[in-house]
């Protein structure tokens, strides 16, 4: 590992080790950082290095690039550098600077082979593409890809130009538009990497591979597998990619897919398609000279345009929020408690949530005891976990052997055998306070003093549950969202007696599971459900006012939500939403008065997607949903009776969430606006391109929000009364974020 004061790049002549073959090694090991990245200082050092290498043409047969960072090759460009660009011209200049360096790297008079035994993403992937060959480890941490669209930008160091020529147009677009990262094995299959070698003794194996293939490397012969053109291979795939008409079809399909998925709210994917098309992206030889120059200039222009957008700035802010979580312990400033190490876990309850939580633990190879009352219940939990792993097998993310290995991490039991060695136990039984208290008190007698206990409650008080325990300090909430495998958020709930050590343990354990945790005060609805309740509630009130079901859902889809609020009610469970709505009404009064329509749907036996019918129908075997006219009779409303403008639908659903979020900050439910936004993006899918609920609020301004709330208060009463917190911000002109 490098130490501060050293250069990022170390160049060594290893010829004496390999029988006189002029093999040199370049080690990238950025001092003082956990990952290698292209900062401004690194780029300056790299430029000087290239100048030195350009003079060593006859001294080097081949140069092999390795990383000094375990688990990381190159993480790409320094995001701060991109974020600092004040306009499109500055961002374009950054792109051109990086491109020119990689062009010089590509033009060096000897082959350059990258040996990747960690993540090579963004600029790291583009650096690899400008090299002569890519050799990867079979370690799962070794991955390569171009995730730039996740930051609202496009690959800007030659990725849009070089990738299609290496793997074909269809595969390149798929990688760029989905931010897909490939393992070594999949990179070889796609034609991106030339070899995938065992992770054991990887570097030496890479050197031997290089020496074995040196003649081909020197001649520029393609060593990578021929890609499946058109994404399918064969004559049809070749016809698609090698003819103007076929390429036009690929580009048209790519655009249609992006627009369908993003509703046009994200400029970067569309710009990436336009850039690849404009630069002649297609499978074939590398381009050099004037042709490369023109292509790179076009890519840099697209990069600059995207980097200057508010969408990119918001997505970069979100990136920094998630990075801050990685560094955090989840504790208030000044707290020093350390988390306990968790090597095994337990789950109480084998229902949908319990099975999902057990599957998540097994996914991370954590030995897990899953307890329920009888074998029938346990079989359902095992089946739930198995379905998720089988989908991974179908999508070729894991093989059948790995499926069996993962499933073996779950041990179904009807007693507490093995719970004495667990580090964390998550209770996921029925949402009933008395039952939970009884089970938690019973559990406490079977776990060690070091075990942390958590309840996966969505609405019940963690503080009240603590009264059933002899050691309440080791108990907190760990609220997973359904479906557990897909939803990235976990609310870590601090009860009145929850210790810092317990909070830190649950926070760190959540990160170990690959989730994004936020710490929430024990309060009705916690954070996400408390903010989501008025959103869903108002959606059903809109039906009573004459809006149709499709109108409500479509308005919020256009706003950027991943699904409409009425479909979300079905997804959550109409009965579950109705129960939470009444809990929050009891806690907060008339501003949370439940709309009567959901109760009518529950009374009709339509509980949502889980029963095949809720507000929508979900026919068995069909993929989508259907709207049944009968639902309006059940709701007791007449669609289209009054015209409701799309802007009103959005206002009435979103403004109460902002109003409630201001209250949550005032009450200390969470510590900051960034935690509100992280919770809403990760827990509800609030549009990331808007930066989060409170970033969106700042774009409107508190004064404008209050004026709109007052307008709706006159019509609808308590649901829209501005909170004292939002009124104070309107009076002072204060934003939720101190910086724009």
């Amino acid at each position: 590992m490098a130490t501060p004061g050293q250069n990022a790049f170390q160049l060594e002549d290893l010829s004496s080790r390999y029988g006189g073959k002029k093999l040199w090694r370049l080690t990238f090991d950025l001092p003082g950082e956990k990952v290698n990245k292209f900062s401004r200082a690194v780029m300056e050092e790299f430029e000087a290095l290239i100048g030195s290498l350009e003079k060593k043409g006859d001294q080097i047969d081949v140069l092999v690039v390795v990383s000094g960072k375990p688990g990381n090759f190159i993480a790409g460009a320094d995001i701060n550098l991109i974020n600092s660009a004040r306009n499109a011209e500055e961002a374009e200049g950054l792109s051109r600077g990086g491109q020119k360096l990689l062009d010089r790297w590509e033009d060096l008079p000897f082959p350059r082979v990258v040996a990747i035994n960690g993540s090579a993403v963004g600029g790291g992937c583009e650096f690899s593409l400008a090299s002569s060959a890519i050799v990867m480890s079979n370690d799962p941490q070794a991955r390569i890809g171009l995730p730039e669209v996740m930051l609202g930008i496009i690959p800007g160091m030659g990725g849009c130009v070089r990738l299609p020529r290496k793997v074909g147009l269809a595969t390149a677009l798929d990688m760029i538009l989905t931010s897909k990262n490939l393992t070594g094995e999949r990179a070889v299959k796609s034609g991106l990497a030339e070899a995938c070698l065992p992770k054991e003794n990887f570097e030496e194996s890479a050197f031997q591979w290089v020496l074995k293939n040196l003649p081909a490397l020197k001649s520029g012969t393609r060593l990578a597998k021929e890609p499946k053109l058109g994404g399918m291979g064969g004559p049809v795939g070749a016809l698609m990619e090698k003819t103007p008409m076929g390429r036009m079809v690929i580009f048209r399909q790519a655009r249609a897919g992006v627009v369908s998925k993003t509703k046009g709210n994200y400029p970067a994917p569309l710009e990436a398609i336009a850039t690849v098309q404009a630069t002649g992206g297609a499978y074939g030889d590398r381009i050099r000279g004037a042709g490369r120059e023109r292509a790179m200039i076009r890519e840099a222009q697209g990069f600059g345009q995207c980097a200057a957008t508010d969408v990119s700035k918001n997505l970069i802010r979100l990136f920094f929020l998630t990075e801050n979580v990685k560094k955090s312990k989840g504790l208030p400033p000044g707290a020093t408690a350390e988390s306990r190490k968790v090597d095994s876990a337990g789950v109480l309850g084998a229902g949908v949530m319990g099975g999902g939580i057990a599957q998540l633990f097994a996914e991370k190879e954590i030995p897990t005891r899953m307890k329920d009352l009888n074998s029938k219940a346990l079989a359902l939990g095992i089946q739930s976990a198995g379905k998720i792993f089988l989908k991974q097998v179908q999508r070729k993310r894991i093989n059948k052997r790995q499926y069996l290995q993962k499933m073996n991490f779950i041990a179904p039991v009807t007693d507490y055998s093995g719970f004495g060695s667990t580090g964390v136990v998550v209770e996921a039984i029925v949402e009933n306070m008395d039952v939970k208290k009884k089970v938690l008190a019973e559990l406490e007698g079977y776990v060690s003093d070091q075990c942390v206990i958590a309840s996966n409650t969505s609405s019940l008080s963690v503080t009240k549950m603590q009264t059933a325990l002899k050691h309440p300090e080791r108990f907190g909430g760990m609220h997973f969202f359904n479906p557990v495998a897909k939803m990235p958020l976990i609310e870590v709930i601090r009860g009145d007696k929850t210790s810092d050590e317990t909070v830190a343990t649950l926070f760190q354990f959540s990160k170990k599971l690959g989730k994004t945790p936020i710490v929430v005060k024990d309060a009705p609805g916690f954070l996400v459900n408390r903010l989501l309740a008025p959103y869903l509630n108002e959606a059903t009130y809109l039906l009573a006012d004459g809006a149709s079901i499709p109108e409500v859902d479509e308005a919020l889809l256009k706003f950027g939500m991943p699904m409409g609020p009425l479909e979300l009610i079905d997804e959550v469970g109409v009965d579950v939403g109705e129960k939470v709505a009444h809990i929050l009404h009891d806690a907060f009064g008339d501003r949370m008065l439940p709309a009567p329509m959901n109760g009518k749907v529950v009374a009709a036996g339509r509980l949502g997607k889980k029963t095949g019918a809720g507000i929508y129908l979900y026919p068995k075997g069909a993929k989508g949903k259907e709207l049944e006219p009968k639902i309006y009779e059940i709701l007791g409303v007449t669609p289209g009776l009054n015209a409701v403008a799309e802007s009103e639908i959005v206002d009435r659903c979103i403004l109460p969430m902002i109003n409630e979020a201001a209250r949550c900050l005032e009450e200390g439910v969470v510590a900051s606006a960034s935690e509100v936004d992280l919770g809403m993006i990760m827990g509800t899918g609030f549009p990331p391109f808007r930066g989060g609920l409170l970033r969106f609020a700042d774009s409107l301004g508190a004064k404008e929000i209050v004026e709109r709330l007052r307008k709706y208060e006159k019509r609808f009463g308590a649901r829209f009364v501005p909170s004292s917190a939002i009124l104070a911000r309107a009076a002072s002109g204060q934003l939720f974020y101190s910086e724009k």
Side-chain angles (χ1 to χ4, degrees), residues 90-104:
E90 281 191 18
E92 183 180 338
L94 287 173
S95 175
R96 286 296 291 139
Q99 289 172 344
K100 287 175 181 178
L101 285 180
L102 291 191
D103 288 351
R104 288 176 65 187

Side-chain angles (χ1 to χ4, degrees), residues 352 354-356 358-360 362 370 379-390 403 407 410:
V352 173
Q359 183 275 333
L360 178 63
M370 181 169 65
L380 290 174
I382 291 292
Q383 187 179 41
S384 296
K387 281 181 180 177
I388 299 168
F389 284 130
L390 283 173
Y403 159 75
M407 288 298 294
I410 305 173

Side-chain angles (χ1 to χ4, degrees), residues 515-533:
K515 299 296 185 181
T516 300
I518 58 170
V519 178
V520 181
K521 176 183 174 183
D522 185 26
F526 311 127
L527 175 73
V528 173
N529 281 345
R530 178 169 168 181
L531 301 190
L532 198 58

